[in-house]
Amino acid sequence: MGRQPCCDKLGVKKGPWTAEEDKKLINFIFTNGQCCWRAVPKLAGLRRCGKSCRLRWTNYLRPDLKRGLLTESEEQLVIDLHARLGNRWSKIAARLPGRTDNEIKNHWNTHIKKKLLKMGIDPVTHEPLNKEETKTSESSSHSDRSPDDHDQLKSQETNDNNPSSEENSICSPAENCSNTESNSLSLCDDDLLMSCLWGDEDIPIIDEISWDFPAAGPNLNSNNNGSIPSWDETCAWLLDCQDFGVQDFGLDCFNDVEVMNTLNALEVDNK
DNA sequence: AACACAGTCAACCGCAAAGGC
DNA sequence: CGCCTTTGCGGTTGACTGTGT
């Protein structure tokens, strides 16, 4: 019994997305919310597989994404999290709001890996490289964290959700780093970042709290209670990284005059 | 200017987990 | 309980861009 392919290969487009396709996808998700990805291409009029649509949305089109290189603080956080979690990029990304697993994975492979090697640190074990050489002859110790040694971490990970787990007993200022603050890590200093890192409460992911687009259209202002990037911030991406204007979307949900004025103002600023 | 090489990153692929029936 | 579908994840690829010769 063969596995059903994620899409019929016939007539399904692959490769880079065009602005037109992006528009269709954004338009669809803004008006209908994120529903069954498999159905999205059909409903949105795209000749893509659902998987591709989901990837495009999560890695590129999501309004809450930060663009640009990771900051020093974020990079340090990634390194620390990688030491703890290994190549669990999605888990790492979940702790860096506005960053995607793909982005972090790429950044790790292209920048951080080399940086660590330059510093004489094994990017896999996070141990000093010369230390590694001597250690290879020894049997593994608790601190010798091989890439496959993350099963242990995995169990820790599962305990992350358990408030009574041992790891959670590590008292850190994380408690002070409230969820709302955690959503704007870029504003935190390194101490706060580390606090957030060692606090094992799952940082609420922006997706979960603000990207549940109702079909009726988002109430753009009501969700902004300070913990979520303002609409002004989140919509800037539309003007920032795409070569089309907001009006081009023809979004029914953008019928709020105030919002439209803001968007227009942003667009003017951008020019 | 032309070419080669290296670096970067968006996108694809295959697998596994999750969830519904 | 087992099958099937859907979603999510991590590894990998390949196109594009920048830099050096």
Side-chain angles (χ1 to χ4, degrees):
Chain A
M1 195 174 287
R3 179 192 169 80
Q4 192 187 8
C6 74
C7 50
D8 32 297
K9 305 286 177 187
L10 245 62
V12 173
K13 196 183 165 207
K14 282 159 72 168
W17 279 64
T18 64
E20 190 63 34
E21 288 175 312
D22 283 346
K23 271 192 275 183
K24 281 183 180 174
L25 182 57
I26 293 168
N27 198 358
F28 177 81
I29 292 178
F30 271 27
T31 48
N32 300 285
Q34 291 179 52
C35 65
C36 170
W37 282 112
R38 199 179 172 83
V40 166
K42 209 172 196 175
L43 297 170
L46 289 161
R47 289 174 61 192
R48 296 273 181 175
C49 74
K51 215 171 179 178
S52 182
C53 293
R54 183 183 62 82
L55 214 64
R56 183 65 179 171
W57 174 256
T58 54
N59 285 342
Y60 198 79
L61 298 174
R62 257 168 51 199
D64 59 309
L65 289 180
K66 289 181 195 168
R67 310 298 304 178
L69 286 174
L70 272 72
T71 63
E72 280 288 319
S73 303
E74 286 175 318
E75 207 171 285
Q76 188 56 50
L77 183 55
V78 170
I79 293 168
D80 290 329
L81 286 168
H82 186 271
R84 266 180 87 202
L85 303 170
N87 292 359
R88 299 244 257 338
W89 304 115
S90 62
K91 298 284 177 194
I92 294 172
R95 309 242 171 168
L96 281 99
R99 301 295 187 184
T100 68
D101 53 351
N102 208 31
E103 189 179 12
I104 292 169
K105 182 171 59 183
N106 281 334
H107 191 77
W108 177 269
N109 287 326
T110 56
H111 294 99
I112 302 178
K113 230 174 176 176
K114 289 170 192 168
K115 210 170 175 180
L116 290 178
L117 284 170
K118 229 176 190 174
M119 292 162 66
I121 297 170
D122 189 325
V124 177
T125 62
H126 294 263
E127 298 284 347
L129 279 170
N130 52 357
K131 194 179 171 185
E132 275 302 301
E133 286 167 17
T134 60
K135 272 203 166 185
T136 49
S137 59
E138 299 171 12
S139 60
S140 61
S141 69
H142 73 284
S143 61
D144 189 10
R145 201 173 275 164
S146 71
D148 293 330
D149 199 21
H150 292 118
D151 283 348
Q152 189 187 350
L153 284 164
K154 195 167 190 173
S155 62
Q156 285 181 357
E157 178 75 10
T158 56
N159 286 338
D160 278 359
N161 296 327
N162 180 1
S164 63
S165 70
E166 189 184 346
E167 201 183 350
N168 279 318
S169 69
I170 299 169
C171 189
S172 76
E175 283 79 18
N176 295 331
C177 191
S178 69
N179 288 344
T180 54
E181 285 164 343
S182 303
N183 276 328
S184 51
L185 278 181
S186 60
L187 301 175
C188 300
D189 58 18
D190 285 356
D191 287 346
L192 264 176
L193 278 170
M194 292 310 294
S195 302
C196 293
L197 162 63
W198 291 111
D200 287 312
E201 295 166 37
D202 278 342
I203 296 168
I205 302 160
I206 291 173
D207 267 350
E208 293 173 354
I209 50 182
S210 66
W211 287 107
D212 185 20
F213 287 111
N219 185 348
L220 298 171
N221 296 322
S222 65
N223 270 349
N224 190 356
N225 60 4
S227 65
I228 302 164
S230 70
W231 179 252
D232 288 7
E233 291 163 8
T234 55
C235 71
W237 63 279
L238 285 169
L239 312 168
D240 194 34
C241 59
Q242 299 293 335
D243 56 354
F244 44 81
V246 175
Q247 286 87 349
D248 292 344
F249 291 109
L251 299 180
D252 293 340
C253 58
F254 282 167
N255 53 7
D256 185 328
V257 175
E258 199 177 342
V259 172
M260 284 309 297
N261 288 339
T262 307
L263 292 172
N264 287 334
L266 276 166
E267 195 169 28
V268 168
D269 286 348
N270 215 40
K271 282 178 182 168

